[in-house]
Amino acid sequence: MIYQFFYTITGSYLIADIIQSILPLFIFILPFALFAVWLERKVSAHMQDRLGPMRVGFHGALQTIADILKLIQKEDIVATENDKPLFNIAPVLVFVGTYAAFAVIPFSSAYIGSNIDLGIFFIVAVSGFVVAGILMAGWSSNNKYSLLGAMRSAAQIISYEIPTVLVIITIIMVTGTLNLNTLSEMQTGHFWNWMIFGGPQLGISKFLLIPFMIVGFVIIYISTLAEVNRTPFDIPEAESELVSGYHTEYSGMKFAMFFLAEYANMFAVSAIVAVLFFGGYQSPVGYLGNLLHLKWLIPIEQLFWFTTKGIFFVFVQMWLRWTLPRLRVDQLMAACWKYLIPLAFVNLIIIGLITLL
Amino acid sequence: MKTPEEVFNILKEKFGDAVVELAASQPVDPYIVVNPKEVDKICQYLFDNEELSFNNLMNLSGVDDSNGKVIAGQNGDKTIEGGTLSVYYHIESTKHKHKIVIKASTPRENPEVNSVESIWRHADWHEREAYDLVGIIFLNHPNLTRILMPYDWDAGHPLRKDYKNPEFYHGMKVPY
Amino acid sequence: MALKTEQMVLNMGPQHPSTHGVLRLEVELEGEIIQSVHPHIGYLHRCFEKHAEAMTYPQVIPYVDRMDYLASMYNEFGYVIAVEKLLGIQVPERVDYIRVIMGELQRIASHLVAIGTYGLDIGAFTPFLYCFRDRERILSLFEMTCGARLLYNYIWVGGLSHDLHPDFVRSAKDFVNYFRPNIKELNDLLTYNRIFIDRTANIGVLPLETAINYGITGPNLRASGFKWDIRKDDTYSIYNKFDFDIPTGQGLVGTVGDCWDRYYIRVLEMEQSLRIIEQALDRLPEGDVTSAIPKRIKPPAGQIYSRVENPKGELGYFIISDGSLNPFRVKVRGPSFVHLGVMNELCKGHMVADVIAILGSIDIVLGEVDR
């Protein structure tokens, strides 16, 4: 719909395409990243019995802008021993890997970056860029700590992709489609039509699916926590052990890109979990637009619901970060290979059997 | 529980001349003076004997006795010749709850004491510190290097009474 | 053809967020497994023992504060007891009671820092702030008494520098009532947390024989199962008048003597300290705290080794006096110095992340290691 809108304004497919694809970046991701940094500082502060940023703007709302201004004007330090091409490309690659996932996430029924039939598969594939970027960052920093951090991070992300994919397969089996837009449209109606409550088809299989869907949701939430390197899985950037891991040597704008990429990634995986299990942009209680017979209100409401669900899951991620200690690297791997993967497999088999009913 | 006199008598019987005297006239702790080259055998005996069983080394300190001849040099500094450097061992038994102090004095010009590191691993770092700050050499120590001063400090041993700070260290001026 | 691997030497350098001060750890790794750990110290050496020889006995007290700067009251306590024994003077009863109260409050403050920073090293950010919030209340109690929050110069030879503020007893009782439930909150948040237990149980196990041979004392020795506390076994001041338990490590979630035990002993000791403080506050006698302070402190020639139970272990002062106003030799046996020597033994066979866990559990303060 938005695409049509731009086409009618500009009269050219190409320009409409370009505007539509940079839209999420400027209207959504950057403001979201600014908001998420502020949210993290406030959440952590209140959980630690203190206040957080209070002076810059109302309750510190403009703090992130001040930080970005500071980071932009910092000296860009590149040590002589570093492998310069790799060093410079690494943050860009990490950022690209996370940003590209936004292309197929449906923000509302009116806007989806690219309505391809391969939705989820594309997201899983493109997340591989992040691994390459992290390895490049660790290697080119020419620093034992960074290298250790990068290798651990790569091992962690690659291992935890497996439970993620297994749970995604269960959803695909139940719904029969990879396309995220179709998936969101299927979960229309009220909240009992969401995937976590068994899906839109009413019947015995819906009620049988509920406990296994909940298990699947927990597995994918934990795995995506590990994918974005958040505590308890933040060994790669463990401040007290490796002084910052693979981005120790970065300063200024490049550091800001890593930072931004982390928060964008957090939102991306929260959005994916919301789309897969919690109805995407669908409202749990019906639309105000339907009530008032205003058709143009519905996409805006859907955007609101989508953003709320995403921010809620981001909030839970932050909550976990400030409560739990971190796992050691071998315990992290054991958790993945010995616990999550068998559990995900069993879940897959059971759900597969249920869908045959 | 054994008193210092009883411990002294047991040691004097066993080791004869290596155990020199029991100095108990000054406050507060009485101490047993022993030969520095026999200190490890005596301590091994104290450790192994069932009635004594001194299994805990509380403290090991190096002291510059400063009891030699003081020679006043120019600029108001002094050098000391002759006299002794001592090592004090404070040991106790956690089983019998008694304590004893042992002192080993060596000549200042050639200070050598046998190391007790093989008996109590605790002595490792304390002996390194005594070597570093007072300059006592411990024979049979596995790794006798400086511990608190920089590894390449070659201007002497700071806790000696006649120690004087060097002018420069690696091009940095030492006295403030 | 087999791949030849070399040992990697990792330097956890003087500047590191987790080494509790300026400490350099040279770690030899084979992959992720540690072969040996060599601590290099001396970065904070301030020549305390040389200074002490140039000053009079009372002038040494501010210097003594600065060794273990997280437990200054106890450093002064230990030094003052040694000099008083050498002089042979008795202090009024009120002075003894106040010294015990200050010492036990200091023990709680020091353990709070140890626990909070240990959680921080393991990755739990929040208990650190809760511990420091509680420690602030203790520091304001100290500020009420002598004006300083960290380095007090309060306990003098023969007495104290100031008497207690009139509000002190009431504030201290308020603090005790406020702090007791917080220990339970700390236990819920950190002690029994599954991830924390996974990181610390069965790591860095210290067998009892090795511990005694290496001279380990204090909470670390008690965690290995040995009930040894200088407050009871070699008692000083008036500790024999109070009723308190000595917790020992029992390997509740792992082996006896592992990192979790050393951490848990500190939590239990805080509770016991609260008991002592309550009893002391109830029985605090009246008196004059400065009456027994001698005008000139000139002990007879002799020597003494006296020790107290620092929050970190056995703090010993070996003072040689030659009959003049200045001490001839003051040697401080700091517990952190001794405990750092056992790092190599504890870390063998573990992984790099465990070095931080072990270093945090033996609770060192570099001021005391280097003096």
Side-chain angles (χ1 to χ4, degrees):
Chain A
M1 224 160 90
I2 300 243
Y3 180 68
Q4 294 296 343
F5 176 66
F6 281 121
Y7 176 58
T8 44
I9 291 187
T10 59
S12 145
Y13 282 121
L14 189 60
I15 298 186
D17 256 330
I18 294 178
I19 296 183
Q20 197 203 243
S21 48
I22 39 179
L23 209 59
L25 178 60
F26 289 109
I27 299 209
F28 200 79
I29 298 184
L30 278 182
F32 173 76
L34 297 179
F35 170 72
V37 173
W38 174 83
L39 182 68
E40 168 119 54
R41 291 171 75 158
K42 281 306 221 185
V43 161
S44 71
H46 283 278
M47 286 180 69
Q48 292 167 351
D49 208 6
R50 56 187 179 94
L51 289 175
M54 291 289 281
R55 290 178 189 247
V56 190
F58 175 70
H59 275 262
L62 299 177
Q63 179 74 43
T64 322
I65 299 186
D67 285 337
I68 298 282
L69 282 177
K70 178 201 80 161
L71 278 174
I72 289 181
Q73 40 126 348
K74 275 208 185 237
E75 180 189 349
D76 193 20
I77 303 177
V78 176
T80 41
E81 295 288 315
N82 291 345
D83 201 339
K84 290 204 184 36
L86 288 182
F87 193 74
N88 293 328
I89 293 182
V92 175
L93 217 54
V94 171
F95 188 71
V96 160
T98 64
Y99 174 48
F102 281 94
V104 292
I105 296 182
F107 283 78
S108 80
S109 56
Y111 178 76
I112 179 168
S114 164
N115 194 4
I116 55 177
D117 273 327
L118 278 180
I120 302 186
F121 185 72
F122 172 77
I123 292 181
V124 173
V126 126
S127 308
F129 273 130
V130 176
V131 181
I134 292 179
L135 277 174
M136 274 193 209
W139 172 258
S140 63
S141 297
N142 199 36
N143 179 353
K144 272 181 204 152
Y145 285 122
S146 298
L147 191 58
L148 267 177
M151 295 207 289
R152 283 176 174 173
S153 178
Q156 179 181 315
I157 296 183
I158 294 177
S159 312
Y160 276 90
E161 271 181 12
I162 300 182
T164 316
V165 168
L166 285 174
V167 174
I168 291 179
I169 293 179
T170 62
I171 295 286
I172 297 173
M173 280 198 314
V174 172
T175 61
T177 170
L178 280 169
N179 188 339
L180 284 176
N181 210 9
T182 326
L183 200 57
S184 301
E185 281 172 10
M186 274 171 66
Q187 301 178 57
T188 188
H190 294 252
F191 64 90
W192 47 78
N193 281 338
W194 289 350
M195 291 314 297
I196 195 162
F197 296 116
Q201 319 280 49
L202 209 53
I204 189 90
S205 60
K206 177 183 165 90
F207 294 101
L208 278 179
L209 273 179
I210 293 183
F212 303 105
M213 280 299 185
I214 296 183
V215 169
F217 163 65
V218 170
I219 293 177
I220 198 175
Y221 197 65
I222 296 178
S223 311
T224 48
L225 255 184
E227 295 245 351
V228 298
N229 292 337
R230 296 284 289 183
T231 322
F233 303 108
D234 68 345
I235 279 285
E237 27 179 83
E239 278 146 19
S240 40
E241 288 172 35
L242 297 177
V243 195
S244 237
Y246 58 87
H247 48 77
T248 313
E249 297 277 337
Y250 283 90
S251 61
M253 209 47 221
K254 300 206 185 89
F255 179 70
M257 287 195 92
F258 272 118
F259 216 50
L260 218 69
E262 170 161 345
Y263 287 102
N265 215 1
M266 273 168 68
F267 186 79
V269 298
S270 301
I272 292 171
V273 168
V275 165
L276 288 178
F277 284 96
F278 283 89
Y281 52 70
Q282 305 285 359
S283 138
V285 291
Y287 292 103
L288 212 53
N290 278 336
L291 210 56
L292 301 176
H293 296 286
L294 296 167
K295 283 226 76 121
W296 53 268
L297 198 54
I298 297 183
I300 299 179
E301 269 185 77
Q302 288 175 334
L303 181 64
F304 164 72
W305 283 112
F306 176 76
T307 322
T308 312
K309 289 175 200 171
I311 292 185
F312 174 70
F313 284 118
V314 169
F315 170 71
V316 174
Q317 286 179 337
M318 292 179 180
W319 187 2
L320 285 175
R321 174 178 189 187
W322 298 106
T323 311
L324 299 173
R326 73 171 67 92
L327 287 173
R328 205 174 53 204
V329 83
D330 64 322
Q331 293 164 343
L332 203 146
M333 289 307 189
C336 174
W337 292 91
K338 290 200 218 167
Y339 300 109
L340 285 184
I341 292 187
L343 200 58
F345 261 123
V346 167
N347 207 22
L348 179 67
I349 294 176
I350 298 182
I351 292 188
L353 290 175
I354 296 181
T355 51
L356 287 178
L357 286 175
Chain B
M1 281 222 29
K2 297 235 179 302
T3 64
E5 287 80 24
E6 292 173 10
V7 176
F8 175 69
N9 289 336
I10 297 178
L11 285 179
K12 189 83 178 158
E13 266 180 60
K14 186 122 185 2
F15 289 97
D17 278 333
V19 178
V20 176
E21 60 161 345
L22 171 69
S25 53
Q26 291 183 325
V28 162
D29 294 332
Y31 55 90
I32 301 177
V33 184
V34 303
N35 183 346
K37 294 288 187 347
E38 308 276 320
V39 125
D40 54 339
K41 295 204 203 48
I42 296 177
C43 287
Q44 186 72 52
Y45 177 69
L46 287 171
F47 184 73
D48 291 329
N49 184 317
E50 276 307 311
E51 288 187 344
L52 303 174
S53 101
F54 283 102
N55 59 348
N56 187 9
L57 173 70
M58 295 192 288
N59 185 25
L60 190 161
S61 3
V63 178
D64 179 1
D65 288 324
S66 178
N67 49 3
K69 196 159 68 101
V70 177
I71 302 177
Q74 66 263 69
N75 311 330
D77 52 351
K78 56 178 184 176
T79 356
I80 302 185
E81 275 184 23
T84 56
L85 303 173
S86 311
V87 181
Y88 283 80
Y89 302 80
H90 294 83
I91 44 186
E92 73 159 346
S93 164
T94 54
K95 212 160 65 169
H96 302 296
K97 311 246 173 122
H98 48 222
K99 312 184 237 188
I100 191 73
V101 183
I102 298 199
K103 171 178 172 180
S105 297
T106 70
R108 195 190 186 84
E109 266 61 37
N110 187 18
E112 285 182 353
V113 178
N114 280 3
S115 163
V116 297
E117 196 260 347
S118 50
I119 311 169
W120 300 290
R121 302 290 302 275
H122 182 191
D124 187 354
W125 277 30
H126 281 279
E127 287 179 350
R128 277 180 72 185
E129 185 187 340
Y131 163 66
D132 185 6
L133 296 177
V134 185
I136 301 173
I137 306 208
F138 289 88
L139 308 171
N140 307 325
H141 190 277
N143 177 27
L144 195 66
T145 51
R146 288 194 182 262
I147 189 170
L148 290 176
M149 303 302 287
Y151 290 116
D152 55 356
W153 189 262
D154 52 4
H157 300 279
L159 265 183
R160 293 203 180 174
K161 298 289 180 185
D162 57 349
Y163 170 76
K164 190 169 160 327
N165 261 329
E167 274 290 314
F168 284 97
Y169 170 68
H170 280 305
M172 297 179 281
K173 197 154 159 31
V174 172
Y176 243 43
Chain C
M1 190 171 92
L3 267 179
K4 205 158 69 95
T5 53
E6 271 183 7
Q7 279 194 352
M8 176 167 107
V9 174
L10 184 65
N11 193 25
M12 297 177 120
Q15 294 164 316
H16 190 97
S18 279
T19 52
H20 296 272
V22 268
L23 167 69
R24 186 176 141 221
L25 287 175
E26 201 183 312
V27 180
E28 273 174 29
L29 295 171
E30 187 95 41
E32 281 251 356
I33 307 287
I34 298 177
Q35 306 297 110
S36 70
V37 171
H38 298 288
H40 296 268
I41 60 176
Y43 290 92
L44 201 52
H45 181 59
R46 293 155 292 171
C47 322
F48 161 73
E49 296 173 359
K50 188 87 181 170
H51 278 305
E53 295 173 11
M55 292 181 291
T56 63
Y57 285 89
Q59 284 177 333
V60 173
I61 295 182
Y63 283 79
V64 157
D65 269 343
R66 279 147 175 81
M67 286 193 306
D68 177 3
Y69 39 78
L70 293 174
S72 304
M73 282 289 185
Y74 242 99
N75 293 4
E76 296 172 7
F77 201 173
Y79 174 73
V80 156
I81 285 185
V83 178
E84 284 171 2
K85 277 196 198 147
L86 206 50
L87 283 171
I89 59 179
Q90 265 293 61
V91 289
E93 224 190 334
R94 184 176 168 87
V95 170
D96 266 331
Y97 272 88
I98 296 180
R99 282 181 184 171
V100 166
I101 294 174
M102 292 302 175
E104 293 306 311
L105 278 174
Q106 185 69 79
R107 187 184 306 272
I108 298 178
S110 173
H111 283 326
L112 281 173
V113 175
I115 292 172
T117 50
Y118 193 44
L120 196 62
D121 290 340
I122 302 287
F125 302 99
T126 312
F128 171 71
L129 284 141
Y130 291 170
C131 288
F132 269 64
R133 173 196 63 192
D134 297 332
R135 183 173 171 257
E136 278 302 306
R137 311 251 323 210
I138 300 182
L139 294 187
S140 52
L141 279 175
F142 284 142
E143 191 180 358
M144 185 195 286
T145 317
C146 59
R149 279 162 50 97
L150 198 66
L151 304 165
Y152 312 111
N153 193 10
Y154 179 63
I155 301 185
W156 286 1
V157 180
L160 307 166
S161 70
H162 300 83
D163 202 344
L164 292 179
H165 193 271
D167 281 339
F168 183 85
V169 177
R170 189 183 50 83
S171 304
K173 286 204 173 123
D174 283 342
F175 169 74
V176 170
N177 294 332
Y178 157 80
F179 186 58
R180 261 215 179 90
N182 280 9
I183 299 185
K184 182 171 175 325
E185 181 190 56
L186 185 67
N187 276 344
D188 287 335
L189 188 57
L190 193 59
T191 313
Y192 297 115
N193 185 313
R194 184 77 218 152
I195 301 181
F196 183 72
I197 293 179
D198 275 337
R199 284 296 297 267
T200 53
N202 299 319
I203 305 279
V205 177
L206 184 61
L208 184 56
E209 278 307 310
T210 320
I212 299 185
N213 204 296
Y214 268 93
I216 308 290
T217 49
N220 299 331
L221 181 62
R222 293 195 274 281
S224 292
F226 189 41
K227 207 163 171 148
W228 180 261
D229 189 330
I230 297 176
R231 292 175 291 176
K232 286 218 156 145
D233 289 310
D234 194 5
T235 193
Y236 54 96
S237 189
I238 46 165
Y239 274 101
N240 48 1
K241 294 193 186 159
F242 296 109
D243 176 33
F244 59 100
D245 298 322
I246 310 288
T248 53
Q250 276 143 8
L252 287 175
V253 295
T255 4
V256 175
D258 57 10
C259 290
W260 192 87
D261 266 343
R262 289 193 278 276
Y263 160 83
Y264 192 53
I265 291 287
R266 297 196 166 92
V267 177
L268 292 175
E269 278 190 7
M270 288 202 295
E271 285 183 43
Q272 299 303 319
S273 291
L274 284 177
R275 280 176 70 183
I276 300 179
I277 296 176
E278 269 181 333
Q279 294 169 43
L281 285 172
D282 286 333
R283 296 189 250 159
L284 192 61
E286 295 301 321
D288 182 4
V289 300
T290 52
S291 60
I293 298 182
K295 287 270 184 317
R296 269 173 25 132
I297 299 186
K298 215 174 170 198
Q303 31 106 343
I304 182 175
Y305 176 75
S306 106
R307 51 192 185 154
V308 294
E309 180 84 17
N310 208 8
K312 308 211 159 32
E314 168 190 327
L315 174 65
Y317 284 88
F318 174 49
I319 303 184
I320 304 183
S321 147
D322 58 354
S324 71
L325 288 171
N326 305 346
F328 181 76
R329 171 89 165 99
V330 177
K331 152 105 180 159
V332 177
R333 179 247 197 244
S336 303
F337 180 72
V338 177
H339 294 171
L340 201 49
V342 84
M343 269 293 281
N344 193 17
E345 195 67 31
L346 285 180
C347 288
K348 280 207 173 82
H350 287 106
M351 292 193 274
V352 175
D354 297 326
V355 172
I356 304 294
I358 297 173
L359 189 62
S361 75
I362 57 180
D363 188 20
I364 57 172
V365 167
L366 262 298
E368 198 169 49
V369 173
D370 290 337
R371 278 160 277 138

